[in-house]
């Protein structure tokens, strides 16, 4: 999340909305400014602005406070920020309406401030359970939910819809509400579920007769509570046509198939793709190319559109290019042909070797079919908080050359079954194939190094190859520890730290992989020094360790928003790994077990100090991306056995075609 001053916000939103218009997007979320609306609404119910200070989350955590997962964390929100966001929202809506879009506004989900309890003591207000906090600290944990069957629910829901119309002057009549998103209802009785759904919708309809409820379908794939009776009860609690469901993760876990077309309720086929804005080359090209068509053509289909619901979009351009097209296709596309044309469209000129490279990437990185949520847990950006003695070292396949193709399929299991407490990196493809694709980029880089999109792809692909290589280097450290080989641990731990520093240099060569712009944009939003500190802390905390932590117990959401950004590797990820390796070697020299608590104490202290730090980072790229990538390839990847891959993908043909 980037926090920007109003003028920069407007410019970014203009570009974003223009891009959406060019892609044919006509149903965008428009959630900015709602805190100002809530202030005015809750004033009607005798709740002051100060009583909302611990209700709203900080600027980097509003998504979770709005969903009722937390309150107060990162806040309080300055009034100037709240007011500026309302001004920005009005400009966002005006541009969306100018393009003929139907902006989706928020609706009341039941999430209320604690103060409402004292104002309305007879209201049915329940305190929700712990959501990923360490010790259920009431300062930010365990939010309050007004029961939808309480008459007060409809009053507040109506007031919120009416206040938005008063502020904005118009509405598209479509409202998002996700009362049960990672918040399980207290009772599984279908009649009760139905009454909840009906009451939620009445809260919208009482303020807008033509209201349509747009609801995420994430709860149906995330929470086992939602069995067919409960699901039907919620979906049928609203007249057909007055609810639209987002099949949020349809490219991996399509709910329309297992729910008989959402039991007749209209839905939108959505691609989720990315969690937390993590940077990882990943995708399901085949599923994206065929899934929406299959859904639309299926018997008794209730699909009414396609959508994208990523948590972060600034990664994997190929995936979003393809998904954006799918609303315009009526038949499955020829993916091989689409991939063959992609590099020419992306780079503006045909380079045959890069066509082969993208074909390889399509069959490897962009062919993930294991159903695993791709939250990036590479060791560099999500360092394991675990005793090294319990990490299992996988056996490396030594299949003969003629078994190579079978081995490629088995390599995706290299990082599995390590430990329940070790959130292992995701690997679903042959790394050697991807290294070969990278070599094609490097060998033909002189033909395209002047093209920004090529430089972005080159940096990203080099980063991807080295990140997976680093996972294996880490395992060599652990292997040395478990064999009590101090020389091996010393060598590979230093090798790992050198790699982190070198990766930082690579990432610094492109504007798309810098920490500095995020922090500087956060600070520019502030009106005084205290706000500047708060906003920078928000930005730093979101990408490192949040929610709460103790001195020896890390946040359960540590590294959720991890990023491969230059500055972050050099200043945080590298020093963190160095602390772990320091204790690892010391325990071996002393002949003692790994001091897990000591490691945690120093790591958490490093994190909290880094979050409060005011150190400056570059906002402009430096260095030649092609030369740096070639240097790193020679240093770390040159010895990879590529001969079998040459045979498989036809290196000689590519080489002759590019000469």
């Amino acid at each position: 999340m980037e926090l920007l001053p109003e003028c920069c916000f407007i410019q970014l939103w203009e570009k974003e909305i223009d891009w959406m218009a060019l892609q044919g997007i006509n149903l965008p979320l428009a959630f900015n400014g709602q805190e100002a609306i809530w202030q005015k609404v809750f004033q009607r119910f005798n709740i002051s602005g100060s009583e909302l200070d611990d209700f709203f989350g900080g600027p980097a955590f509003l998504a979770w406070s709005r969903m009722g997962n937390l309150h107060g964390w990162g806040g309080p929100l300055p009034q100037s920020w709240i007011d500026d966001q309302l001004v920005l929202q009005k400009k966002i809506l005006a541009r969306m309406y100018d393009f003929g879009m139907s902006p989706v506004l928020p609706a009341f989900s039941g999430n209320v401030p604690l103060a409402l309890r004292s104002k309305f003591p007879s209201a049915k207000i329940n305190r929700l359970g712990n959501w990923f906090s360490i010790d259920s600290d009431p300062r930010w944990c365990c939010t309050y939910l007004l029961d939808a069957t309480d008459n007060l629910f409809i009053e507040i829901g109506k007031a919120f819809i009416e206040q938005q119309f008063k502020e904005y002057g118009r509405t598209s009549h479509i409202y998002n509400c996700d009362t049960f998103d990672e918040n399980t209802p207290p009772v599984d009785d279908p009649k009760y579920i139905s009454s909840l759904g009906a009451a939620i919708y009445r809260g919208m309809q009482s303020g807008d007769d033509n209201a349509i409820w747009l609801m995420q379908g994430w709860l149906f794939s995330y929470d086992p509570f939602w069995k067919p009776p409960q699901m039907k009860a919620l979906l049928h609690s609203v007249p057909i046509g007055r609810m639209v469901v987002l099949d949020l993760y349809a490219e991996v876990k399509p709910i329309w198939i297992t729910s008989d077309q959402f039991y007749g309720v209209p839905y939108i086929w959505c691609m989720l793709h990315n969690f937390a804005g993590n940077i990882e080359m990943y995708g399901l090209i085949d599923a994206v190319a065929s899934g929406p068509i299959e859904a639309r053509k299926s018997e008794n289909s209730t699909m009414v559109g396609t959508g994208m619901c990523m948590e972060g979009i600034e990664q994997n351009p190929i995936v979003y290019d393809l998904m954006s097209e799918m609303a315009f296709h009526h038949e499955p596309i020829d993916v091989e042909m689409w991939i063959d044309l992609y590099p020419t469209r992306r780079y503006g000129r045909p380079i045959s070797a890069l066509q082969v490279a993208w074909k390889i990437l399509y069959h490897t990185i962009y062919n993930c079919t294991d159903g695993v949520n791709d939250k990036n847990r590479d060791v560099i950006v999500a360092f394991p908080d675990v005793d090294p003695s319990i990490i299992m070292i996988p056996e490396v396949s030594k299949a003969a050359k003629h078994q190579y193709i079978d081995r490629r399929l088995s390599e995706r299991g290299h990082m599995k079954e390590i430990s329940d407490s070790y959130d292992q990196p995701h690997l679903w493809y042959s790394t050697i194939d991807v290294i070969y694709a990278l070599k094609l980029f490097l060998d033909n880089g002189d033909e395209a190094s002047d093209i920004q999109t090529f430089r972005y792809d080159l940096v990203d692909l080099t980063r991807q190859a080295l990140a997976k290589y680093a996972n294996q280097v880490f395992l060599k450290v652990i292997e040395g520890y478990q064999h009590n080989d101090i020389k091996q641990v010393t060598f590979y731990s230093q090798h790992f730290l050198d790699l982190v520093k070198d990766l930082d240099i690579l990432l610094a060569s492109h504007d798309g992989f810098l920490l500095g712009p995020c922090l500087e944009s956060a600070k520019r939003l502030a009106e005084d020094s205290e706000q500047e500190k708060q906003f920078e802390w928000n930005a730093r905390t979101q990408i490192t360790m949040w929610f709460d932590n103790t001195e020896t117990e890390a946040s359960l959401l540590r590294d959720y928003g991890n990023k491969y950004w230059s500055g972050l590797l050099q200043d945080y990820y590298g020093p963190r790994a160095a602390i772990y390796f320091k204790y690892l070697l010391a325990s071996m020299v002393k002949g003692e077990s790994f001091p897990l608590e000591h490691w945690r104490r120093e790591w958490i202290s490093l994190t909290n100090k880094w979050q409060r730090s005011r150190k400056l980072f570059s906002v402009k790229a430096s260095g030649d991306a092609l030369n740096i990538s070639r240097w790193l390839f020679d240093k770390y990847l040159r010895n990879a056995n590529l001969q079998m891959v040459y045979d498989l993908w036809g290196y000689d043909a590519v080489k002759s075609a590019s000469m």
Side-chain angles (χ1 to χ4, degrees):
M1 173 180 290
E2 294 191 8
L3 313 176
L4 299 168
E6 183 180 338
C7 60
C8 296
F9 259 128
I10 293 170
Q11 292 170 359
L12 282 181
W13 271 104
E14 284 180 349
K15 291 180 179 179
E16 190 78 10
I17 296 169
D18 291 352
W19 179 85
M20 288 192 283
L22 289 169
Q23 310 307 313
I25 293 171
N26 58 9
L27 194 67
L29 296 183
F31 279 14
N32 288 63
Q34 63 178 280
E35 282 66 38
I37 305 294
W38 279 121
Q39 284 184 331
K40 295 174 182 180
V41 168
F42 281 125
Q43 281 177 0
R44 302 190 200 179
F45 297 88
N46 300 317
I47 295 176
S48 67
S50 61
E51 289 176 309
L52 294 175
D53 282 349
D54 68 347
F55 178 58
F56 301 138
F61 303 99
L62 282 173
W64 295 276
S65 68
R66 290 168 176 172
M67 289 190 294
N69 302 136
L70 55 82
H71 63 92
W73 179 260
L77 285 176
Q79 189 61 46
S80 60
W81 190 92
I82 293 174
D83 294 341
D84 287 346
Q85 287 293 298
L86 182 59
V87 172
L88 176 62
Q89 168 75 341
K90 292 178 180 179
K91 294 180 178 180
I92 289 171
L93 290 173
R95 195 168 186 86
M96 288 178 172
Y97 284 127
D98 283 347
F99 279 124
M101 297 177 178
S102 298
V104 179
L105 297 175
F108 179 50
S109 66
N111 183 29
V112 295
L114 173 61
L116 195 71
R117 260 186 165 181
S118 59
K119 309 293 183 182
F120 297 89
S122 62
K124 300 176 186 176
I125 299 176
N126 302 308
R127 189 183 184 199
L128 298 178
N130 185 5
W131 184 85
F132 291 110
S133 77
I134 292 295
D135 54 7
S136 301
D137 191 319
R139 288 177 294 172
W140 41 71
C141 169
C142 311
T143 55
Y144 294 88
L145 188 70
L146 175 63
D147 194 299
T149 61
D150 192 295
N151 289 334
L152 188 60
F153 188 103
I154 296 176
E155 289 184 46
I156 296 175
K158 177 182 179 181
F160 185 61
I161 298 294
E162 289 178 339
Q163 186 64 42
Q164 288 186 103
F165 186 81
K166 180 179 179 181
E167 289 287 344
Y168 306 143
R170 62 188 297 187
T171 175
S172 63
H173 307 293
I174 303 176
Y175 304 93
N176 171 251
C177 179
D178 295 301
T179 299
F180 310 114
D181 186 45
E182 300 190 18
N183 290 320
T184 304
V187 180
D188 66 358
D189 180 3
K191 290 184 179 179
Y192 174 74
I193 299 297
S194 181
S195 67
L196 287 180
I200 292 169
Y201 180 67
R202 280 199 302 274
M204 300 178 208
Q205 193 178 38
S206 60
D208 182 350
D209 289 337
N210 299 312
I212 295 175
W213 179 1
L214 183 72
M215 183 182 73
Q216 292 187 61
W218 175 247
L219 69 168
F220 301 133
S221 61
Y222 174 84
D223 192 341
F225 170 90
W226 295 98
K227 297 177 175 60
Q230 289 74 29
M231 190 174 173
K232 285 181 183 178
L234 178 59
L235 294 174
H236 290 170
S237 65
V238 177
I240 296 295
R242 292 295 181 176
M243 174 187 281
V244 178
V245 183
L246 302 177
D247 198 350
L248 206 74
Y249 203 12
E251 84 275 25
V252 176
K253 299 176 181 177
I255 302 300
W256 69 268
I257 295 175
T258 58
S259 65
D260 192 19
Q261 306 280 355
F262 285 92
Y263 304 110
V265 172
Y267 74 93
I268 296 173
W269 193 103
C270 295
M271 178 188 77
L272 196 161
H273 183 257
N274 179 270
F275 292 90
N278 293 161
I279 297 173
E280 164 125 86
M281 293 183 73
Y282 155 85
L284 293 82
I285 291 291
D286 286 339
V288 171
S290 62
I293 308 300
E294 292 173 1
R296 189 175 61 82
K297 289 190 167 186
S298 61
E299 186 176 0
N300 299 320
S301 175
T302 57
M303 175 184 158
V304 293
T306 60
M308 295 185 286
C309 299
M310 58 280 149
E311 292 188 3
I313 194 173
E314 294 180 357
Q315 33 70 40
N316 292 288
I318 187 173
V319 176
Y320 297 94
D321 285 350
L322 177 59
M323 187 63 221
S324 298
E325 285 188 20
M326 293 313 298
F328 302 98
H329 287 287
H330 299 286
E331 299 293 336
I333 67 171
D334 184 333
V335 181
E336 292 282 354
M337 181 180 294
W338 193 92
I339 293 292
D340 196 50
L341 293 172
Y342 179 76
T344 302
R345 290 191 294 118
R346 182 155 175 78
Y347 307 135
R349 64 189 67 155
I351 302 174
S352 58
L354 296 184
Q355 290 177 304
V356 175
W358 274 106
K359 181 178 180 181
I360 294 170
L361 297 178
Y362 159 53
H363 286 287
T364 53
I365 283 175
Y366 294 109
N367 186 34
C368 182
T369 58
D370 59 13
V372 175
N373 295 350
D374 192 61
K375 298 175 182 177
N376 195 331
R377 308 315 292 174
D378 287 339
V379 175
I380 290 177
V381 295
F383 203 87
D385 175 27
V386 64
D387 189 314
S389 63
I390 67 172
I391 296 178
M392 296 175 61
I393 305 299
E395 292 185 3
V396 178
S397 171
K398 296 182 180 179
K401 179 178 178 180
H402 68 274
Q403 297 174 313
Y404 177 66
I405 294 178
D406 289 338
R407 180 168 66 82
R408 288 175 60 234
L409 299 176
S410 68
E411 277 186 355
R412 66 189 63 178
H414 272 196
M415 297 293 285
K416 67 181 181 180
E417 298 179 355
I418 294 179
S419 167
D420 288 342
S421 58
Y422 175 19
D423 197 358
Q424 63 265 29
H426 186 197
L427 184 61
W428 62 97
Y429 60 84
S430 164
T431 55
I432 198 75
D433 282 3
V434 171
I435 291 172
Y436 174 49
L438 173 58
K439 189 175 188 305
L440 292 175
F441 266 73
L442 296 174
D443 288 348
N444 296 272
D446 292 327
E447 296 184 57
S449 61
D450 60 320
I451 304 168
Q452 185 176 7
T453 49
F454 173 82
R455 294 196 302 273
Y456 176 92
D457 293 343
L458 175 63
V459 171
D460 202 20
L461 183 54
T462 306
R463 176 210 57 76
Q464 181 79 12
L466 291 174
K468 299 308 177 186
Y469 172 73
N471 294 337
Q472 299 301 320
V473 174
F474 174 75
L475 290 184
K476 294 297 290 185
V477 175
I478 300 304
E479 180 185 73
Y481 173 83
Q482 294 180 359
H483 287 88
N484 199 32
D485 187 335
I486 292 180
K487 287 184 178 180
Q488 180 172 332
V489 172
T490 301
F491 175 82
Y492 281 106
S493 59
Q494 187 59 52
H495 191 59
F496 185 94
L497 296 176
D498 290 343
L499 175 55
V500 174
K501 292 180 181 178
D502 290 344
L503 257 177
D504 196 275
I505 295 171
L506 169 73
L507 298 172
S509 68
H510 195 283
D511 291 335
F513 299 93
L514 302 179
L515 169 63
C518 173
L519 302 185
E520 291 307 308
S521 63
K523 291 186 288 183
R524 285 198 302 269
L525 183 62
E527 293 196 346
D528 56 46
S529 60
E530 288 304 309
Q531 287 185 17
E532 188 175 288
K533 291 178 183 178
Q534 179 190 6
F535 295 165
E536 183 175 358
W537 181 91
N538 265 256
R540 286 172 174 262
T541 300
Q542 191 206 61
I543 59 177
T544 52
M545 184 184 293
W546 70 281
F547 209 171
D548 55 347
N549 61 263
T550 67
E551 290 185 354
T552 57
E553 191 170 3
S555 161
L556 299 176
L557 292 170
R558 61 186 180 274
D559 295 321
Y560 179 78
N562 67 66
K563 301 287 187 294
Y564 277 103
W565 281 348
S566 176
L568 190 57
L569 274 72
Q570 174 77 14
D571 207 50
Y572 178 68
Y573 293 145
R576 173 174 63 177
I579 294 170
Y580 189 89
F581 295 147
K582 177 185 73 174
Y583 283 112
L584 196 68
L585 282 164
S587 67
M588 296 177 72
V589 171
K590 295 176 182 178
E592 299 174 351
S593 60
F594 181 77
L596 194 60
E597 185 170 313
H598 290 2
W599 136 253
R600 286 174 174 165
R601 186 182 300 275
E602 190 168 345
W603 159 41
I604 294 170
S605 176
L606 166 77
T607 303
N608 294 155
K609 288 177 182 176
W610 191 88
Q611 292 165 340
R612 295 190 299 268
S613 173
R614 308 303 306 283
K615 181 177 177 179
L616 299 177
F617 296 90
S618 177
V619 296
K620 291 188 178 296
S622 61
D624 185 287
L626 180 58
N627 287 339
I628 294 171
S629 294
R630 284 171 171 167
W631 164 58
L632 293 178
F633 185 91
D634 287 341
K635 183 174 181 178
Y636 294 105
L637 304 173
R638 174 64 68 183
N639 293 329
N641 183 4
L642 295 174
Q643 185 56 52
M644 290 181 289
V645 193
Y646 294 163
D647 296 341
L648 183 67
W649 294 103
Y651 176 72
D652 291 337
V654 173
K655 187 175 180 181
S656 61
S658 61
M659 291 177 64

